[in-house]
Amino acid sequence: MDHHFKEPYNLKYFFGFLVAMLLPTLPASLTWLGILSH
C-alpha cells in the first residue's frame, strides 16, 4: 500500500461515504427547516 492519498478514487469514496452518512438525516433536517420556516 504505497499509494499516496491524493488519488481521485479515494476522494470519490470519501464523498460517497459522507453522502451515505448524511442521507438518513436529510428528511429530518428538511422537515425541521419546514417547521422553522413557518
Side-chain angles (χ1 to χ4, degrees), residues 8-36:
Y9 283 114
N10 285 341
L11 207 60
K12 226 185 291 186
Y13 283 131
F14 177 68
F15 279 120
F17 177 73
L18 273 182
V19 169
M21 288 298 287
L22 289 178
L23 262 179
T25 65
L26 198 61
S29 50
L30 281 181
T31 50
W32 270 110
L33 279 178
I35 290 172
L36 288 177

